[in-house]
């Protein structure tokens, strides 16, 4: 089990201090695939580097199986880094060494004898599907194959935890899917706990059990992936789950917006809006609608525009709130803290992939 308690990290630079992590708390159970998602600069890499102590936290605890890593000496941390290994966006392979030698490297450092390490490398090559590439050099491999080598190297010391920092961000969607499938396979077969750092909601959606959303160095929301999708509460979570919303919603001054989240697969929005008109005489315009499927359940969000009359708003909210599996919020969609359009490569931009 990984327990992060009251973790803070401050960088001192020539131009001042950067509070990269502020009072971070979360727990990853053994065997879980845990996602940490946030925008560029949110503190994701700093956080994951604190988990294996490449970066020393300013304060707080990083407990793995009840051992607080912040209290350990450097020589003890070297052993820990065999139990907690990492893969990166840029693969970090040694270009002048072939696939076999890259995978063998951590075994060499650990003093494993040649015969045993050869056997381990052969098994790892099979596990990651590179049985025929042992003598190839990284320059002769595709991005997906390079990441497979990096995964095999990370598994060489038989770790308990695999940390992945944007491990699929340099790959095309199909290769991303294959690498995520491999990570899920490894998690199931070897029982390794996986922490995945990403800016892509699609990665969290397809592989993670739980997720923490990090924004400006703080965890603003965390929980089961299906629950966050069903009912995102923080502005950052809403931005991730419904990335289109910022561009889509423009309500006029004389109107009010009502946001309706559907978190039960049986409920669909069309009959509800029709019955609001029939039963209450309130004609709401749909100014935004989106649905998506997570773990086989349908989730959706619509934003309605109604006249800015307190009685109408109140009546509509009461009526909509009474429906099964629906969460209703007034006005929140109208006020946005960031009106910039989302760039293609930016957070959540591929949430529907
Ligand atoms: N060594 C350092 N010295 C000073 N500031 C740093 C250092 N490392 C990170 N930071 C700052 O800490 C903040 C968090 O950076 P971090 O790399 O963790 O973000 P990130 O979420 O991984 O972003 P990205 O998605 O772009 O990789 C940023 O403001 C960054 O400038
Ligand atoms: Mg990063």
């Amino acid at each position: 089990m990984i327990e992060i308690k009251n973790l803070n990290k401050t960088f001192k630079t020539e131009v001042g201090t950067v509070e990269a992590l502020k009072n971070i708390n979360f727990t990853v159970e053994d065997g879980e695939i845990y996602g940490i998602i946030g925008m560029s600069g949110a503190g994701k890499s700093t956080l994951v580097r604190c988990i294996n102590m490449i970066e020393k936290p300013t304060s707080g605890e990083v407990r793995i199986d009840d051992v607080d890593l912040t209290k350990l000496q450097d020589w003890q941390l070297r052993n820990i880094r065999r139990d907690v290994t990492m893969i990166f966006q840029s693969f970090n392979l040694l270009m002048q060494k072939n696939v076999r030698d890259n995978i063998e490297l951590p075994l060499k450092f650990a003093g494993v004898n040649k015969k045993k390490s050869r056997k381990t490398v052969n098994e790892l090559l099979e596990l990651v599907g590179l049985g025929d590439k042992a003598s190839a050099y990284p320059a002769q491999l595709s991005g997906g194959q390079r990441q497979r080598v990096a995964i095999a190297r990370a598994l060489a010391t038989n770790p308990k935890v695999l940390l992945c920092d944007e491990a699929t961000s340099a790959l095309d969607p199909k290769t991303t899917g294959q690498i995520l499938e491999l990570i899920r396979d490894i998690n199931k077969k070897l029982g390794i706990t996986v922490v995945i750092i990403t800016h892509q909601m699609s990665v969290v959606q397809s592989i993670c059990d739980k997720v923490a959303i990090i924004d400006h160095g703080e965890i603003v929301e965390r929980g089961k992936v299906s629950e966050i999708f069903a009912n995102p509460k923080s502005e950052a979570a809403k931005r991730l789950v419904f990335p289109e919303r910022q561009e889509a919603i423009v309500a006029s001054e004389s109107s009010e917006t009502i946001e309706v989240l559907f978190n039960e697969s049986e409920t669909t929005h069309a009959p509800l809006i029709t019955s609001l008109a029939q039963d209450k005489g309130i004609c709401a315009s749909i100014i935004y609608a989106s649905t998506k499927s997570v773990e086989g359940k349908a989730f959706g969000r619509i934003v309605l525009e109604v006249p800015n009359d307190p009685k109408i708003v109140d009546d509509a909210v009461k009526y909509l709130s009474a429906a099964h599996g629906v969460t209703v919020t007034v006005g929140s969609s109208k006020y946005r803290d960031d009106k910039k359009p989302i760039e293609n490569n930016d957070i959540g931009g591929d949430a529907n992939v």
Side-chain angles (χ1 to χ4, degrees):
M1 184 162 74
I2 306 170
E3 291 167 283
I4 308 296
K5 292 186 179 169
N6 307 321
L7 188 77
N8 291 282
K9 176 69 191 180
T10 307
F11 291 107
K12 293 211 181 344
T13 67
E14 282 167 13
V15 287
T17 56
V18 181
E19 283 186 78
L21 298 174
K22 297 176 229 169
N23 199 31
I24 302 283
N25 288 282
F26 66 95
T27 301
V28 184
E29 303 289 344
D30 284 346
E32 260 177 0
I33 302 185
Y34 200 100
I36 295 170
I37 185 165
M39 290 211 218
S40 182
K44 305 180 296 294
S45 293
T46 307
L47 175 54
V48 81
R49 289 160 63 82
C50 283
I51 298 180
N52 68 354
M53 300 291 287
I54 294 176
E55 202 74 76
K56 295 263 161 72
T58 309
S59 63
E61 295 174 19
V62 176
R63 304 187 84 89
I64 296 188
D65 292 345
D66 235 11
V67 176
D68 183 1
L69 307 194
T70 64
K71 302 278 188 310
L72 299 184
Q73 307 289 319
D74 282 350
W75 67 269
Q76 293 170 302
L77 286 176
R78 274 196 288 280
N79 290 339
I80 290 291
R81 287 193 198 110
R82 287 180 200 150
D83 281 344
V84 184
T85 57
M86 193 155 168
I87 57 171
F88 307 85
Q89 174 173 352
S90 51
F91 322 126
N92 288 16
L93 300 178
L94 295 177
M95 300 305 278
Q96 71 283 15
K97 288 199 180 291
N98 69 18
V99 167
R100 174 178 294 284
D101 292 343
N102 265 284
I103 300 172
E104 201 178 35
L105 209 61
L107 295 166
K108 247 187 189 164
F109 287 142
V112 176
N113 74 50
K114 193 76 195 163
K115 195 171 163 214
K116 186 154 185 278
S117 82
R118 201 174 172 81
K119 183 168 175 280
T120 304
V121 174
N122 286 342
E123 286 166 4
L124 288 166
L125 283 166
E126 289 305 319
L127 181 71
V128 300
L130 290 179
D132 55 341
K133 297 283 182 195
S135 47
Y137 284 82
Q140 299 168 316
L141 302 177
S142 69
Q145 289 168 334
R146 288 183 200 186
Q147 195 58 290
R148 284 173 191 271
V149 178
I151 290 171
R153 185 183 55 185
L155 297 178
T157 50
N158 197 16
K160 292 183 206 156
V161 179
L162 176 66
L163 306 173
C164 311
D165 189 357
E166 301 279 7
T168 55
S169 300
L171 307 174
D172 62 61
K174 186 163 170 247
T175 314
T176 293
Q178 291 164 347
I179 293 293
L180 292 178
E181 210 171 292
L182 175 63
I183 292 173
R184 191 179 11 228
D185 258 18
I186 287 164
N187 162 261
K188 293 264 168 333
K189 267 191 209 151
L190 309 180
I192 294 179
T193 307
V194 180
V195 178
I196 292 201
I197 298 285
T198 182
H199 67 281
Q200 296 170 297
M201 203 59 181
S202 57
V203 169
V204 170
Q205 191 174 339
S206 66
I207 190 177
C208 296
D209 305 308
K210 290 192 192 146
V211 63
I213 296 169
I214 183 165
D215 196 27
H216 296 105
E218 290 178 88
I219 290 188
V220 291
E221 205 162 330
R222 57 165 193 257
K224 285 180 71 175
V225 173
S226 53
E227 283 166 14
I228 303 272
F229 267 92
N231 195 3
K233 294 190 182 69
S234 63
E235 195 52 39
K238 287 180 186 176
R239 266 202 309 260
L240 282 163
V241 175
F242 303 109
E244 319 84 345
R245 69 196 288 264
Q246 299 193 42
E247 292 151 279
I249 300 159
V250 185
S252 71
E253 283 302 308
S254 60
S255 65
E256 183 56 282
T257 57
I258 299 176
E259 178 183 75
V260 187
L261 294 178
F262 295 87
N263 34 36
E264 297 269 331
S265 47
E266 310 91 68
T267 320
T268 52
H269 64 264
L272 189 61
I273 309 312
T274 310
S275 61
L276 175 69
Q278 282 168 352
D279 296 352
K280 290 282 158 188
I282 299 172
C283 292
S285 327
I286 298 175
I287 56 173
Y288 171 82
S290 168
T291 56
K292 56 186 68 199
S293 165
V294 182
E295 294 172 7
K297 290 184 199 159
F299 297 105
R301 171 176 174 270
I302 60 166
V303 179
L304 302 174
E305 188 175 29
V306 293
N308 195 1
D309 172 328
K311 179 155 177 9
I312 295 177
V313 173
D314 196 46
D315 278 359
V317 168
K318 279 196 184 120
Y319 186 86
L320 295 166
S321 304
H324 185 59
V326 160
T327 311
V328 181
T329 321
V330 177
S332 65
S333 315
K334 198 170 164 185
Y335 309 106
R336 288 163 286 154
D337 59 356
D338 177 8
K339 292 189 179 165
K340 279 193 308 205
I342 298 169
E343 286 173 22
N344 266 353
N345 218 5
D346 210 341
I347 191 158
D350 67 341
N352 288 322
V353 170

